Amino acid sequence: MATTTCGYEAMRSGNTILCYINRDGLPLSDRCNERMWTFCMEQYPNNVTEIQTIRNQTDDSPLVTYPDPPYHVATNSRMTVREKLQQVQNYIQRLEYNYTGMQFFDINPNRSLYGLMDTARHMITESLPIKCFEAFLIGLYLTTGILGLDRFNISFKTRFNSVIYRHVILGVKYDQIYGALGISRRSDLSYKPLNGKYNCLSKLIDDFICAYRNYGHTVLRVRIGLPIIHDLKSFLTINWKALSIQPNKTDKNEYDRELDKIVRIWRQIDIHMTYRSVVPLASLVQPTGTLITSASVSNRLQSVTFRQNRDTSLNCRRSAIQKPTTNINEESSTEKDQSVPYAIRV
């Protein structure tokens, strides 16, 4: 649950406060700044004196260096896709993980891609320490335009000592090879290079699950979304819950089959399409909390058609622009207009 206070919001897991979210914007207001330092002392009661010394040290503070974002890495034809992803990950790492206990940016995951990418630009401008969700957005922003690269979210819900934790990374797929971008307190819970180690999605997920188990975490749920369109100005929203698996309650062979099914769905979706589809991508998935089955997938995909070429898109756009002529049968003409497919530039 989240408890809203003046200027910041506490994110809780039961009675445990995980962190605070800054609601006052930047620069930090006095109340958010005071809450950040107080929370740090509450988390580390044995280091209160050291924390006070750091807080009062203003004159001798080292100069802050801002890392240069790799804005043009996506269009650099001299670099391989693996090298481009390494550049993006290096930049994310140089921003450093946010250990302050105060998340500096207020992010709503239900916003459109355009709004989330605007927040990502703001984060790059400020160059402040970040958490996993902020690293996800920055990675999404900087990888937009890399031809042939599919990006999707992978989110984890784990339990450690009765406390629930959540983590999200940016999954990537290129030429049947999988990897991941992101940031975490643990190095093996963030970056996975495109080195050919993960030739299927199940191997990538298993690697994260094994890493969590090594740290004593129980993986309660893994959620995977649909690939995200390469368009910084799109008003589509990210599909976060295309597939949900519970590794602690499901046999490994069973959820491996489910992961293979979501990959087959991706192959039937034109991720790099310029125009919106008549049928929203959200209609491809089951309601929240249910697992995709082979029967439901096949039935849904049979009724969904995507525009595969330019001519079809142009015909749809022309038919949408043409205004119907007024005649006596207005009701029948209205019904025909509603059935006409449309295409909207995003």
Side-chain angles (χ1 to χ4, degrees), residues 122-182:
H122 186 204
M123 290 187 289
I124 292 175
T125 301
E126 297 294 339
S127 294
L128 292 172
I130 57 176
K131 289 184 178 292
C132 61
F133 192 26
E134 296 156 316
F136 171 88
L137 295 180
I138 292 176
L140 192 64
Y141 179 84
L142 294 176
T143 57
T144 297
I146 300 180
L147 296 179
L149 183 71
D150 295 337
R151 297 92 43 83
F152 55 95
N153 67 283
I154 306 176
S155 56
F156 301 90
K157 179 182 179 182
T158 63
R159 182 178 62 239
F160 178 77
N161 289 341
S162 334
V163 180
I164 301 299
Y165 295 92
R166 289 176 172 83
H167 181 51
V168 62
I169 57 171
L170 178 65
V172 292
K173 173 179 174 288
Y174 180 78
D175 197 19
Q176 304 304 319
I177 302 298
Y178 293 85
L181 300 176

Coordinates of all heavy atoms in Angstrom, one line a residue, residues 122-182:
H122 N 13.6 13.8 -19.5 CA 13.8 14.6 -18.3 C 14.8 13.9 -17.4 O 15.7 14.6 -16.8 CB 12.5 14.7 -17.5 CG 12.6 15.7 -16.3 ND1 11.7 15.6 -15.3 CD2 13.4 16.6 -16.0 CE1 12.0 16.5 -14.4 NE2 13.1 17.2 -14.8
M123 N 14.8 12.6 -17.2 CA 15.7 11.9 -16.4 C 17.1 12.0 -17.0 O 18.1 12.1 -16.2 CB 15.3 10.4 -16.3 CG 14.1 10.2 -15.4 SD 13.7 8.5 -15.1 CE 13.1 8.0 -16.7
I124 N 17.3 11.9 -18.3 CA 18.6 12.0 -18.9 C 19.1 13.4 -18.7 O 20.3 13.6 -18.5 CB 18.5 11.7 -20.4 CG1 18.1 10.2 -20.6 CG2 19.8 12.0 -21.2 CD1 17.9 9.8 -22.0
T125 N 18.3 14.4 -18.8 CA 18.7 15.8 -18.6 C 19.2 16.0 -17.1 O 20.3 16.7 -16.9 CB 17.6 16.8 -18.9 OG1 17.2 16.6 -20.2 CG2 18.0 18.2 -18.7
E126 N 18.5 15.5 -16.2 CA 18.9 15.7 -14.8 C 20.1 14.9 -14.3 O 20.8 15.2 -13.5 CB 17.7 15.4 -13.8 CG 16.5 16.3 -14.1 CD 16.8 17.7 -13.7 OE1 17.7 18.0 -12.9 OE2 16.1 18.6 -14.1
S127 N 20.2 13.7 -14.9 CA 21.4 12.8 -14.7 C 21.5 12.4 -13.2 O 22.6 12.5 -12.6 CB 22.7 13.4 -15.2 OG 22.7 13.5 -16.6
L128 N 20.4 12.1 -12.5 CA 20.4 11.7 -11.1 C 20.4 10.2 -11.0 O 20.2 9.5 -12.0 CB 19.1 12.3 -10.4 CG 19.0 13.8 -10.3 CD1 17.6 14.2 -9.8 CD2 20.1 14.3 -9.3
P129 N 20.8 9.7 -9.8 CA 20.8 8.2 -9.6 C 19.4 7.7 -9.9 O 18.4 8.4 -9.6 CB 21.2 8.1 -8.2 CG 22.0 9.3 -7.9 CD 21.4 10.4 -8.7
I130 N 19.3 6.5 -10.3 CA 18.0 5.9 -10.8 C 17.8 4.6 -10.2 O 18.7 3.9 -9.7 CB 18.0 5.8 -12.3 CG1 19.1 4.9 -12.8 CG2 18.0 7.2 -13.0 CD1 19.2 4.7 -14.3
K131 N 16.5 4.1 -10.2 CA 16.1 2.8 -9.9 C 15.7 2.0 -11.1 O 15.9 2.5 -12.2 CB 15.0 2.8 -8.8 CG 15.4 3.4 -7.5 CD 14.2 3.3 -6.5 CE 14.6 3.8 -5.1 NZ 15.6 2.8 -4.5
C132 N 15.2 0.8 -10.9 CA 15.0 -0.1 -12.0 C 14.0 0.4 -13.0 O 14.3 0.3 -14.3 CB 14.6 -1.5 -11.5 SG 13.1 -1.6 -10.6
F133 N 12.9 1.0 -12.6 CA 11.9 1.4 -13.5 C 12.4 2.6 -14.4 O 12.1 2.7 -15.6 CB 10.6 1.8 -12.8 CG 9.4 2.0 -13.7 CD1 9.4 1.3 -14.9 CD2 8.4 2.8 -13.3 CE1 8.3 1.5 -15.8 CE2 7.3 3.0 -14.2 CZ 7.2 2.3 -15.4
E134 N 13.2 3.5 -13.7 CA 13.7 4.6 -14.5 C 14.8 4.1 -15.5 O 14.8 4.6 -16.6 CB 14.4 5.6 -13.5 CG 13.4 6.2 -12.5 CD 14.0 6.7 -11.2 OE1 14.8 5.9 -10.7 OE2 13.6 7.8 -10.8
A135 N 15.6 3.1 -15.1 CA 16.5 2.5 -16.1 C 15.8 1.8 -17.2 O 16.3 1.9 -18.4 CB 17.4 1.5 -15.4
F136 N 14.6 1.2 -17.0 CA 13.8 0.6 -18.0 C 13.4 1.7 -19.1 O 13.6 1.5 -20.3 CB 12.6 0.0 -17.4 CG 11.6 -0.5 -18.4 CD1 11.6 -1.8 -18.9 CD2 10.5 0.3 -18.8 CE1 10.7 -2.2 -19.8 CE2 9.6 -0.1 -19.7 CZ 9.7 -1.4 -20.2
L137 N 13.0 2.8 -18.6 CA 12.5 3.9 -19.5 C 13.7 4.5 -20.3 O 13.5 4.8 -21.5 CB 11.8 5.0 -18.7 CG 10.5 4.5 -18.1 CD1 9.8 5.7 -17.3 CD2 9.5 4.0 -19.1
I138 N 14.8 4.7 -19.6 CA 16.0 5.2 -20.3 C 16.5 4.3 -21.4 O 16.8 4.7 -22.5 CB 17.1 5.6 -19.3 CG1 16.6 6.8 -18.4 CG2 18.4 5.9 -20.0 CD1 17.6 7.1 -17.3
G139 N 16.5 3.0 -21.1 CA 16.9 2.0 -22.0 C 15.9 1.9 -23.2 O 16.4 1.8 -24.4
L140 N 14.7 2.1 -22.9 CA 13.7 2.1 -24.0 C 13.8 3.3 -24.9 O 13.7 3.2 -26.1 CB 12.3 2.1 -23.4 CG 11.1 1.8 -24.3 CD1 11.2 0.4 -24.8 CD2 9.8 2.0 -23.5
Y141 N 14.1 4.4 -24.3 CA 14.3 5.6 -25.1 C 15.5 5.6 -26.0 O 15.4 5.9 -27.2 CB 14.4 6.8 -24.1 CG 14.6 8.2 -24.8 CD1 13.5 8.9 -25.3 CD2 15.9 8.7 -25.0 CE1 13.7 10.1 -25.9 CE2 16.1 9.9 -25.6 CZ 15.0 10.6 -26.1 OH 15.2 11.8 -26.7
L142 N 16.6 5.1 -25.5 CA 17.9 5.1 -26.2 C 18.0 4.0 -27.3 O 18.8 4.1 -28.2 CB 19.1 5.0 -25.3 CG 19.3 6.2 -24.3 CD1 20.4 6.0 -23.4 CD2 19.5 7.5 -25.1
T143 N 17.2 2.9 -27.1 CA 17.2 1.8 -28.1 C 16.1 2.0 -29.2 O 16.1 1.2 -30.1 CB 17.0 0.5 -27.4 OG1 15.8 0.5 -26.7 CG2 18.1 0.2 -26.4
T144 N 15.3 3.0 -29.1 CA 14.3 3.2 -30.1 C 15.0 3.6 -31.5 O 15.8 4.5 -31.5 CB 13.4 4.4 -29.8 OG1 12.7 4.0 -28.6 CG2 12.4 4.7 -30.9
G145 N 14.7 2.8 -32.5 CA 15.3 3.0 -33.8 C 16.3 2.0 -34.2 O 16.8 2.0 -35.3
I146 N 16.7 1.1 -33.3 CA 17.6 0.0 -33.7 C 16.8 -1.0 -34.4 O 16.0 -1.7 -33.9 CB 18.2 -0.6 -32.4 CG1 19.0 0.4 -31.6 CG2 19.1 -1.8 -32.8 CD1 19.7 -0.1 -30.4
L147 N 17.1 -1.1 -35.7 CA 16.3 -2.0 -36.6 C 16.5 -3.4 -36.2 O 17.6 -3.9 -36.0 CB 16.7 -1.8 -38.1 CG 16.5 -0.4 -38.7 CD1 17.0 -0.3 -40.1 CD2 15.0 0.0 -38.6
G148 N 15.3 -4.1 -36.2 CA 15.4 -5.6 -35.9 C 15.4 -5.9 -34.4 O 15.4 -7.1 -34.1
L149 N 15.4 -4.9 -33.6 CA 15.5 -5.1 -32.1 C 14.1 -5.0 -31.5 O 13.4 -4.0 -31.7 CB 16.4 -4.1 -31.4 CG 16.6 -4.3 -29.9 CD1 17.5 -5.5 -29.7 CD2 17.2 -3.0 -29.3
D150 N 13.7 -6.1 -30.9 CA 12.4 -6.1 -30.2 C 12.6 -5.8 -28.7 O 13.5 -6.4 -28.1 CB 11.7 -7.4 -30.3 CG 11.3 -7.7 -31.8 OD1 11.1 -6.7 -32.5 OD2 11.1 -8.9 -32.2
R151 N 11.8 -4.9 -28.1 CA 12.0 -4.6 -26.7 C 10.7 -4.9 -26.0 O 9.6 -4.7 -26.5 CB 12.2 -3.1 -26.5 CG 13.5 -2.6 -27.1 CD 13.4 -2.0 -28.5 NE 12.2 -1.2 -28.7 CZ 12.1 0.1 -28.4 NH1 13.1 0.7 -27.9 NH2 11.0 0.8 -28.6
F152 N 10.8 -5.5 -24.8 CA 9.6 -5.9 -24.0 C 10.0 -5.8 -22.5 O 11.2 -5.9 -22.1 CB 9.1 -7.3 -24.4 CG 10.2 -8.3 -24.3 CD1 10.3 -9.1 -23.2 CD2 11.1 -8.6 -25.3 CE1 11.3 -10.1 -23.1 CE2 12.0 -9.5 -25.3 CZ 12.2 -10.3 -24.1
N153 N 9.0 -5.7 -21.7 CA 9.2 -5.6 -20.2 C 9.2 -7.0 -19.6 O 8.5 -7.9 -20.0 CB 8.2 -4.8 -19.5 CG 6.8 -5.4 -19.6 OD1 6.1 -5.4 -20.6 ND2 6.4 -6.0 -18.5
I154 N 10.1 -7.2 -18.6 CA 10.1 -8.4 -17.8 C 10.1 -7.9 -16.3 O 11.0 -7.3 -15.9 CB 11.3 -9.3 -18.0 CG1 11.5 -9.6 -19.5 CG2 11.2 -10.6 -17.2 CD1 12.8 -10.4 -19.8
S155 N 9.0 -8.2 -15.6 CA 8.9 -7.7 -14.2 C 8.8 -8.9 -13.3 O 8.2 -10.0 -13.6 CB 7.6 -6.8 -14.1 OG 6.5 -7.5 -14.5
F156 N 9.4 -8.8 -12.1 CA 9.5 -9.8 -11.1 C 8.8 -9.4 -9.8 O 9.0 -8.2 -9.4 CB 10.9 -10.2 -10.9 CG 11.7 -10.7 -12.1 CD1 12.4 -9.8 -12.9 CD2 11.7 -12.1 -12.4 CE1 13.1 -10.3 -14.0 CE2 12.4 -12.5 -13.5 CZ 13.1 -11.6 -14.3
K157 N 8.2 -10.3 -9.2 CA 7.7 -10.1 -7.9 C 8.2 -11.2 -7.0 O 8.0 -12.4 -7.2 CB 6.1 -10.2 -7.9 CG 5.5 -10.0 -6.5 CD 4.0 -10.1 -6.5 CE 3.4 -10.0 -5.2 NZ 1.9 -10.1 -5.2
T158 N 9.0 -10.8 -6.0 CA 9.7 -11.8 -5.1 C 9.4 -11.5 -3.7 O 8.9 -10.4 -3.3 CB 11.2 -11.7 -5.4 OG1 11.7 -10.5 -5.0 CG2 11.5 -12.0 -6.8
R159 N 9.7 -12.5 -2.8 CA 9.5 -12.4 -1.4 C 10.8 -12.8 -0.7 O 11.5 -13.8 -1.0 CB 8.4 -13.3 -0.9 CG 8.1 -13.1 0.6 CD 6.9 -14.0 1.0 NE 7.2 -15.4 0.8 CZ 6.4 -16.2 0.1 NH1 5.4 -15.7 -0.5 NH2 6.7 -17.5 -0.1
F160 N 11.2 -11.9 0.3 CA 12.4 -12.2 1.1 C 12.1 -11.8 2.5 O 11.8 -10.6 2.8 CB 13.6 -11.5 0.5 CG 14.9 -11.7 1.4 CD1 15.6 -12.8 1.3 CD2 15.3 -10.7 2.2 CE1 16.7 -13.0 2.0 CE2 16.5 -10.9 3.0 CZ 17.2 -12.0 2.9
N161 N 12.2 -12.7 3.5 CA 11.9 -12.4 4.9 C 10.5 -11.7 5.0 O 10.4 -10.7 5.7 CB 13.0 -11.5 5.5 CG 14.3 -12.3 5.7 OD1 14.3 -13.5 5.7 ND2 15.4 -11.6 5.8
S162 N 9.5 -12.3 4.4 CA 8.1 -11.8 4.4 C 7.9 -10.4 3.8 O 6.8 -9.8 3.9 CB 7.5 -11.7 5.8 OG 8.1 -12.5 6.7
V163 N 8.9 -9.9 3.2 CA 8.8 -8.6 2.5 C 8.7 -8.8 1.0 O 9.5 -9.6 0.4 CB 10.0 -7.6 2.8 CG1 9.8 -6.3 2.1 CG2 10.1 -7.4 4.3
I164 N 7.7 -8.1 0.3 CA 7.6 -8.3 -1.1 C 8.4 -7.2 -1.8 O 8.3 -6.0 -1.5 CB 6.1 -8.1 -1.5 CG1 5.2 -9.2 -0.8 CG2 5.9 -8.3 -3.0 CD1 5.6 -10.6 -1.1
Y165 N 9.1 -7.7 -2.8 CA 9.9 -6.8 -3.7 C 9.5 -6.9 -5.1 O 9.1 -8.0 -5.6 CB 11.4 -7.1 -3.5 CG 12.0 -6.9 -2.1 CD1 12.0 -7.9 -1.2 CD2 12.5 -5.6 -1.8 CE1 12.5 -7.7 0.1 CE2 13.0 -5.4 -0.5 CZ 13.0 -6.5 0.4 OH 13.5 -6.3 1.7
R166 N 9.7 -5.8 -5.9 CA 9.4 -5.8 -7.3 C 10.6 -5.3 -8.1 O 11.2 -4.3 -7.6 CB 8.1 -5.0 -7.6 CG 6.8 -5.7 -7.1 CD 5.6 -4.9 -7.3 NE 4.4 -5.6 -7.0 CZ 3.9 -5.8 -5.8 NH1 4.5 -5.3 -4.7 NH2 2.8 -6.5 -5.6
H167 N 10.7 -5.8 -9.3 CA 11.9 -5.4 -10.1 C 11.4 -5.5 -11.6 O 10.7 -6.4 -11.9 CB 13.1 -6.3 -9.8 CG 14.3 -6.0 -10.6 ND1 14.8 -4.8 -10.7 CD2 15.1 -6.8 -11.4 CE1 15.9 -4.8 -11.4 NE2 16.1 -6.0 -11.9
V168 N 11.9 -4.6 -12.4 CA 11.6 -4.6 -13.8 C 12.9 -4.4 -14.6 O 13.7 -3.6 -14.2 CB 10.5 -3.6 -14.2 CG1 11.0 -2.2 -13.9 CG2 10.1 -3.7 -15.6
I169 N 13.0 -5.1 -15.7 CA 14.1 -4.9 -16.7 C 13.5 -4.8 -18.1 O 12.4 -5.1 -18.4 CB 15.1 -6.0 -16.6 CG1 14.4 -7.4 -16.8 CG2 15.8 -6.0 -15.2 CD1 15.4 -8.5 -17.0
L170 N 14.4 -4.3 -19.0 CA 14.0 -4.2 -20.4 C 14.6 -5.4 -21.1 O 15.8 -5.5 -21.3 CB 14.5 -2.9 -21.0 CG 14.3 -2.7 -22.5 CD1 12.8 -2.6 -22.8 CD2 15.0 -1.5 -23.0
G171 N 13.7 -6.4 -21.5 CA 14.1 -7.5 -22.3 C 14.3 -7.1 -23.7 O 13.6 -6.3 -24.3
V172 N 15.3 -7.7 -24.4 CA 15.6 -7.4 -25.8 C 15.7 -8.7 -26.6 O 16.2 -9.7 -26.0 CB 16.9 -6.5 -26.0 CG1 16.6 -5.1 -25.4 CG2 18.1 -7.1 -25.3
K173 N 15.4 -8.6 -27.9 CA 15.6 -9.8 -28.7 C 16.0 -9.3 -30.1 O 15.4 -8.4 -30.7 CB 14.2 -10.5 -28.8 CG 14.2 -11.6 -29.9 CD 12.8 -12.3 -29.9 CE 12.7 -13.3 -31.0 NZ 12.6 -12.7 -32.3
Y174 N 17.1 -10.0 -30.6 CA 17.6 -9.6 -31.9 C 18.1 -10.9 -32.5 O 19.0 -11.6 -32.0 CB 18.7 -8.6 -31.8 CG 19.3 -8.2 -33.1 CD1 18.7 -7.3 -34.0 CD2 20.5 -8.8 -33.6 CE1 19.2 -7.0 -35.2 CE2 21.1 -8.4 -34.8 CZ 20.4 -7.5 -35.6 OH 20.9 -7.2 -36.8
D175 N 17.6 -11.2 -33.7 CA 18.1 -12.4 -34.5 C 18.0 -13.6 -33.6 O 19.0 -14.4 -33.6 CB 19.5 -12.1 -35.0 CG 19.9 -13.1 -36.1 OD1 18.9 -13.7 -36.7 OD2 21.1 -13.2 -36.4
Q176 N 16.9 -13.9 -33.0 CA 16.6 -15.1 -32.2 C 17.5 -15.2 -30.9 O 17.6 -16.2 -30.3 CB 16.8 -16.3 -33.0 CG 15.9 -16.4 -34.2 CD 14.4 -16.2 -33.9 OE1 13.9 -16.7 -32.9 NE2 13.7 -15.4 -34.7
I177 N 18.2 -14.1 -30.6 CA 19.0 -14.1 -29.4 C 18.4 -13.1 -28.4 O 18.0 -11.9 -28.8 CB 20.5 -13.7 -29.7 CG1 21.1 -14.7 -30.7 CG2 21.3 -13.6 -28.5 CD1 21.2 -16.1 -30.2
Y178 N 18.4 -13.4 -27.1 CA 17.7 -12.6 -26.1 C 18.8 -12.0 -25.2 O 19.9 -12.5 -25.0 CB 16.8 -13.4 -25.3 CG 15.6 -13.9 -26.1 CD1 15.6 -15.1 -26.8 CD2 14.4 -13.2 -26.1 CE1 14.5 -15.5 -27.5 CE2 13.3 -13.6 -26.8 CZ 13.4 -14.8 -27.5 OH 12.3 -15.2 -28.2
G179 N 18.4 -10.9 -24.5 CA 19.3 -10.2 -23.6 C 18.4 -9.3 -22.7 O 17.2 -9.3 -22.8
A180 N 19.0 -8.4 -21.9 CA 18.3 -7.5 -21.1 C 19.2 -6.3 -20.7 O 20.4 -6.4 -20.7 CB 17.9 -8.2 -19.8
L181 N 18.5 -5.2 -20.5 CA 19.1 -4.0 -20.0 C 18.4 -3.5 -18.7 O 17.2 -3.8 -18.5 CB 18.9 -2.8 -21.1 CG 19.5 -3.1 -22.5 CD1 19.2 -1.9 -23.4 CD2 21.0 -3.2 -22.4
G182 N 19.2 -2.9 -17.9 CA 18.6 -2.4 -16.6 C 19.6 -2.1 -15.6 O 20.8 -2.1 -15.8

